[in-house]
Amino acid sequence: MRNILLLFSVLVLLPGTIRAQLNKNLITQRIESANAIRIDSVAIDSLQEVFLQRGLSSNDKLMAATKLVFRMAAARRYEDALKLCHQQITVSRNSQNDSAECVYTKLLGVTYYYMQQRQEALLYFEKALKQAELHGYYPIAYSCCNNIGGILLDLKEYNRAEKSLLQAISLMRTYGGKPEEIVITKRLLATLYDYQGKAKAAENIYRETIAYSLQNGDSISAAHAMTFYADLLWKQKQYQKAVSIGKQAIDLERKGANRNALLASLTMQRKYLIGQHSFRELVSLDSEIIALQAAIFSTDLNKEISETEVKYKMKELLYQQQLDAANANKKQQLLIMAFVGALLVTSLAFVVFYQRNKARQRERLEAEKTAAIILGE
């Protein structure tokens, strides 16, 4: 009889459990689909609809809010993001939901970081860290440690940054941090060592994170690590190796859907090619950068080129040509002369186009930098 009652209970409860699980999966899919929308305004509206939906579980609501605040911050809708966080902190306190209050406090830090207000961001990350440690919310704690380390790195407080990043790695290993989260923190640690002049230590971490990311099929993390590693090599004047690693990063970015990340990698690659005096590849690269900028910014390339920009670029190219001619053999000189015309045209277009889009491109690159530093989504 007991077995029959048990079987009956299972048969009665199982359909409800399955429906709840399916509903949870559908909500998660809806949040991810909304966040995958490229147009910020549409993505934000879609995420807001999910966030305001009745009957959401606490975890689903926090997931939607986190994605929503990140998109608002990236779209420079700072007031909306700050208002949402402050409102939800009040709601969380009234309902004594400590974990939610901790998350929204951290999201205030994220928003201020996007606003380039480092000290304010640091204040809220430290506040969220104390709350997380007090209540044992370790995933929030290690993400805050990572973010604090990234800010201190920006502020050139290297000793404090190292301590915070090492604490983040320790917490991640103890409490099950995701592999991609550990990779981001270790890459930050490598950047710290680079800034401190510890090139070998930085290189070892970059190579380790690249190998690990590729082994686990995480091409995004691998590409980011390659870009940082190539920059380290460029600083050491290892131009050929920097170009090679930079190319690998670009190849990975081309396979992805993030055009801003690709633009960042292409822009970095430009200085590596200049260092190596690879003018043939520079011509092709400049053309790709211009085309990608046009696609991203929808800018008209047919506007008049200013006379000042023309004169400046001609002088720059003439100087580079003379410098290379002095250090190259006759065959190399002939090769440079063969490409100088094409280089002149594309470089002129590049300078004009770059200047016209400089502010917007700086915003895009800053957003990519933030995405490569801040944990929280």
Side-chain angles (χ1 to χ4, degrees):
M1 184 67 178
R2 183 178 298 175
N3 291 337
I4 293 175
L5 289 174
L6 179 61
L7 178 61
F8 178 77
S9 299
V10 170
L11 292 174
V12 170
L13 295 175
L14 186 58
T17 303
I18 292 174
R19 281 197 300 273
Q21 185 63 41
L22 287 173
N23 185 59
K24 180 180 179 181
N25 292 338
L26 287 173
I27 293 296
T28 301
Q29 290 175 11
R30 188 178 172 194
I31 293 171
E32 295 296 343
S33 297
N35 193 49
I37 298 172
R38 286 189 177 184
I39 302 173
D40 287 326
S41 59
V42 178
I44 289 169
D45 288 344
S46 300
L47 287 168
Q48 280 181 322
E49 286 181 11
V50 179
F51 177 73
L52 296 173
Q53 181 177 321
R54 291 185 179 182
L56 284 185
S57 68
S58 178
N59 287 339
D60 287 339
K61 196 172 187 69
L62 282 175
M63 182 190 299
T66 299
K67 302 290 186 185
L68 178 57
V69 170
F70 266 87
R71 290 303 292 262
M72 284 178 170
R76 303 173 67 83
R77 288 174 56 172
Y78 303 131
E79 292 300 322
D80 292 336
L82 294 174
K83 181 180 179 181
L84 173 64
C85 290
H86 283 297
Q87 285 178 342
Q88 292 305 310
I89 285 174
T90 300
V91 171
S92 301
R93 285 176 181 169
N94 291 338
S95 60
Q96 296 183 332
N97 189 339
D98 297 324
S99 62
E101 181 182 352
C102 194
V103 169
Y104 287 114
T105 301
K106 185 183 71 172
L107 289 175
L108 280 174
V110 170
T111 305
Y112 279 114
Y113 190 88
Y114 271 91
M115 294 170 68
Q116 307 295 308
Q117 295 186 27
R118 300 294 194 255
Q119 292 294 347
E120 285 293 316
L122 184 61
L123 175 68
Y124 282 106
F125 284 137
E126 289 177 337
K127 187 175 181 179
L129 175 59
K130 288 180 181 178
Q131 294 173 342
E133 289 177 331
L134 178 63
H135 298 288
Y137 304 136
Y138 294 110
I140 300 175
Y142 62 63
S143 68
C144 285
C145 286
N146 173 88
N147 299 345
I148 290 168
I151 292 175
L152 293 173
L153 184 60
D154 287 344
L155 299 175
K156 297 181 171 59
E157 296 187 35
Y158 298 139
N159 290 334
R160 290 179 62 197
E162 182 178 17
K163 181 180 178 181
S164 188
L165 293 173
L166 290 175
Q167 182 183 358
I169 293 171
S170 177
L171 288 171
M172 287 174 181
R173 287 173 173 165
T174 303
Y175 296 103
K178 297 177 183 177
E180 59 268 26
E181 293 174 327
I182 297 176
V183 165
I184 288 176
T185 305
K186 293 188 76 172
R187 193 178 64 235
L188 275 176
L189 188 62
T191 304
L192 168 65
Y193 291 148
D194 174 15
Y195 290 173
Q196 289 180 313
K198 301 176 183 177
K200 190 62 179 177
E203 181 175 2
N204 289 339
I205 296 176
Y206 283 137
R207 291 169 66 91
E208 178 189 339
T209 55
I210 290 168
Y212 179 85
S213 299
L214 291 175
Q215 183 179 351
N216 289 275
D218 186 358
S219 59
I220 295 175
S221 294
H224 281 156
M226 287 175 181
T227 300
F228 282 91
Y229 180 33
D231 198 53
L232 172 66
L233 294 169
W234 175 77
K235 292 174 185 175
Q236 297 174 322
K237 298 184 179 180
Q238 297 185 46
Y239 301 127
Q240 184 174 359
K241 196 171 181 181
V243 168
S244 176
I245 297 297
K247 281 181 180 177
Q248 293 178 49
I250 290 170
D251 288 341
L252 291 175
E253 296 288 8
R254 285 195 179 113
K255 295 176 183 178
N258 191 336
R259 294 186 299 178
N260 294 321
L262 175 58
L263 179 59
S265 294
L266 290 170
T267 304
M268 296 287 283
Q269 185 75 349
R270 194 173 193 275
K271 68 179 183 181
Y272 309 152
L273 291 174
I274 291 174
Q276 194 183 28
H277 300 163
S278 299
F279 298 118
R280 178 192 299 213
E281 294 181 63
L282 187 61
V283 171
S284 175
L285 185 75
D286 281 352
S287 298
E288 184 174 0
I289 290 174
I290 291 172
L292 185 59
Q293 285 181 324
I296 293 174
F297 301 128
S298 300
T299 302
D300 183 6
L301 286 178
N302 297 319
K303 294 183 178 179
E304 183 178 294
I305 299 175
S306 72
E307 185 178 349
T308 302
E309 290 167 330
V310 172
K311 290 180 179 178
Y312 169 78
K313 196 58 191 176
M314 287 182 68
K315 288 180 180 179
E316 183 186 47
L317 289 172
L318 180 60
Y319 171 76
Q320 186 64 60
Q321 178 187 344
Q322 291 171 343
L323 180 63
D324 290 331
N327 296 319
N329 56 35
K330 292 182 179 180
K331 184 177 180 180
Q332 290 173 320
Q333 293 178 37
L334 291 173
L335 181 63
I336 291 172
M337 292 301 294
F339 286 101
V340 72
L343 178 62
L344 175 62
V345 173
T346 58
S347 294
L348 285 174
F350 177 83
V351 168
V352 173
F353 196 77
Y354 176 81
Q355 290 298 328
R356 294 188 188 280
N357 293 284
K358 190 173 182 180
R360 283 180 293 177
Q361 180 168 335
R362 184 165 54 246
E363 290 172 7
R364 299 277 183 164
L365 297 181
E366 192 65 36
E368 284 306 309
K369 175 189 171 187
T370 300
I373 290 175
I374 294 298
L375 288 180
E377 284 200 81

